Amino acid sequence: RDDLGFRLLSEQVSHHPPISAFYAEGLNNDFVFHGSIYPKLKFWGKSVEAEPKGTMTLELLEHNEAYTWTNPTCCVHNIIVGKLWIEQYGNVEITNHKTGEKCVLSFKPCGLFGKELHKVEGYIQDKSKKKLCALYGKWTECLYSVDPATFEAYKKNDKKNAEEKKSSKQVGNTEEPDEMPLPDSESVYVIPGSILLWKITPRPPNSAQMYNFTSFAMALNELDKEMESVIPKTDCRLRPDIRAMENGEIDLASEEKKRLEEKQRTARKNRSKSEEDWKTRWFHQGTNPYTGTQDWLYSGNYWDRNYFNLPDIY
């Protein structure tokens, strides 16, 4: 995406369990962002919880800095009936490997009356754990930074008000809410003296007809004619069942999906007969240079556009 100043490549590196590795870089040589998406799924009847296993690594080349973290847990509610809604919760620790500074963020679970839905708060601290600044907001809206003392004074006051409210209200049941609870106020209260760090880009006007996708997500599967001669034949933009679904041809999409699955099963049987192992193409397993843990690392050469011996997967 020359127009957006980056390029990104992703490969499904494992089928059981499903793991995708990705690698993105800025075209101005300003950043590298890579990691793997490996959700460990748990089904809870009405909801499904995805615990992320992969490490994210961001290198800011101009500052010679590298950051690593693991994403929060994601829970999708009403997977059988009702309106789907999502929450993310858990602690996320982002480490700056150059300075030893850490950002510790808490993604709040929804809570009983939806008061905490989408809320995020935490601190950036130096290597001796001294709090340098506080962060707060909602991952669906915005993120602010403020002085830690100001933040703690606000929290104390907020807690006092909440307790007074609570004592005058009856406490409800503790079951998981069916409908997505609407938070008390739709937006984030801005503590005086705060600095806005990030604000979400609004969804495009036709997003509701497009599964609530962002502009970025909508464009991911876009295929223009000039691309076809450039991309490898394994590129998911060439996948016929998804293309049929996008065109509203649901029956054809279903037939194509069945055909692809059969084709892949046959290919797997043939491989096991010849004792040939499935090899990943653009990524390999190695050690993350910053965390020292196992990771999927980009092997290079994709952007040379010199593709050979590609399997016929569609």
Side-chain angles (χ1 to χ4, degrees):
R1 292 295 301 266
D2 297 333
D3 54 331
L4 297 177
F6 75 90
R7 56 190 190 181
L8 177 147
L9 152 77
S10 177
E11 177 179 12
Q12 186 169 347
V13 289
S14 166
H15 190 55
H16 291 298
I19 304 173
S20 294
F22 70 90
Y23 179 87
E25 57 191 6
L27 297 176
N28 300 326
N29 207 21
D30 47 357
F31 77 89
V32 170
F33 178 39
H34 60 93
S36 59
I37 310 292
Y38 169 12
K40 206 159 189 221
L41 299 182
K42 289 178 189 160
F43 290 92
W44 300 108
K46 289 192 288 189
S47 60
V48 59
E49 190 179 68
E51 183 198 338
K53 293 300 233 183
T55 300
M56 303 286 146
T57 303
L58 172 66
E59 298 172 40
L60 298 179
L61 304 176
E62 293 165 358
H63 303 283
N64 193 23
E65 287 178 348
Y67 298 81
T68 58
W69 69 92
T70 299
N71 285 335
T73 297
C74 177
C75 187
V76 184
H77 295 270
N78 297 342
I79 49 169
I80 315 276
V81 287
K83 191 171 168 29
L84 282 178
W85 62 281
I86 288 178
E87 60 174 328
Q88 301 206 71
Y89 44 77
N91 290 332
V92 171
E93 200 171 274
I94 305 163
T95 305
N96 178 337
H97 292 272
K98 182 183 177 182
T99 62
E101 290 169 341
K102 272 187 181 164
C103 175
V104 182
L105 287 177
S106 167
F107 283 70
K108 305 285 186 186
C110 162
L112 195 53
F113 300 108
K115 192 168 158 38
E116 303 280 88
L117 184 64
H118 301 152
K119 274 192 182 176
V120 183
E121 59 184 49
Y123 296 95
I124 294 175
Q125 52 195 40
D126 65 17
K127 54 184 173 195
S128 62
K129 296 204 170 167
K130 178 178 179 267
K131 291 172 180 172
L132 304 175
C133 73
L135 304 174
Y136 68 94
K138 289 183 183 178
W139 60 267
T140 50
E141 287 183 37
C142 54
L143 194 65
Y144 285 90
S145 152
V146 74
D147 171 75
T150 311
F151 182 67
E152 276 155 25
Y154 164 75
K155 288 281 288 178
K156 217 173 190 174
N157 197 26
D158 195 42
K159 196 177 173 190
K160 203 171 101 189
N161 291 347
E163 274 165 5
E164 281 166 15
K165 249 193 207 170
K166 205 175 176 182
S167 58
S168 66
K169 258 187 192 173
Q170 283 299 103
V171 178
N173 66 0
T174 54
E175 256 199 49
E176 181 185 301
D178 284 342
E179 286 304 309
M180 175 171 140
L182 287 170
D184 286 356
S185 64
E186 269 305 303
S187 52
V188 172
Y189 172 76
V190 182
I191 303 165
S194 299
I195 299 163
L196 177 68
L197 299 177
W198 165 82
K199 201 173 174 55
I200 198 162
T201 306
R203 294 274 199 277
N206 57 337
S207 180
Q209 285 86 53
M210 299 281 199
Y211 309 100
N212 289 321
F213 281 2
T214 58
S215 303
F216 175 73
M218 280 188 209
L220 277 176
N221 211 34
E222 192 61 33
L223 183 68
D224 63 42
K225 280 285 164 226
E226 292 157 36
M227 267 187 219
E228 284 191 55
S229 57
V230 178
I231 58 178
K233 63 179 183 178
T234 50
D235 192 295
C236 64
R237 285 169 288 193
L238 301 171
R239 194 175 140 171
D241 56 336
I242 300 272
R243 184 62 61 205
M245 193 166 77
E246 283 193 347
N247 294 338
E249 298 166 338
I250 303 303
D251 293 343
L252 175 63
S254 185
E255 284 164 28
E256 281 296 305
K257 182 174 182 286
K258 273 190 203 137
R259 181 184 67 79
L260 287 185
E261 285 170 346
E262 280 307 316
K263 185 170 181 167
Q264 288 175 6
R265 279 189 201 103
T266 309
R268 193 161 67 230
K269 271 184 197 154
N270 292 344
R271 272 201 306 279
S272 61
K273 277 180 200 161
S274 66
E275 292 182 358
E276 178 197 343
D277 275 342
W278 174 261
K279 286 189 183 71
T280 52
R281 177 102 192 171
W282 309 112
F283 292 85
H284 61 277
Q285 274 195 301
T287 305
N288 183 302
Y290 305 106
T291 61
T293 52
Q294 274 287 88
D295 204 353
W296 286 96
L297 306 173
Y298 173 49
S299 304
N301 303 332
Y302 176 85
W303 304 107
D304 301 348
R305 302 290 187 195
N306 177 21
Y307 309 123
F308 56 90
N309 293 342
L310 291 178
D312 175 19
I313 58 175
Y314 302 137

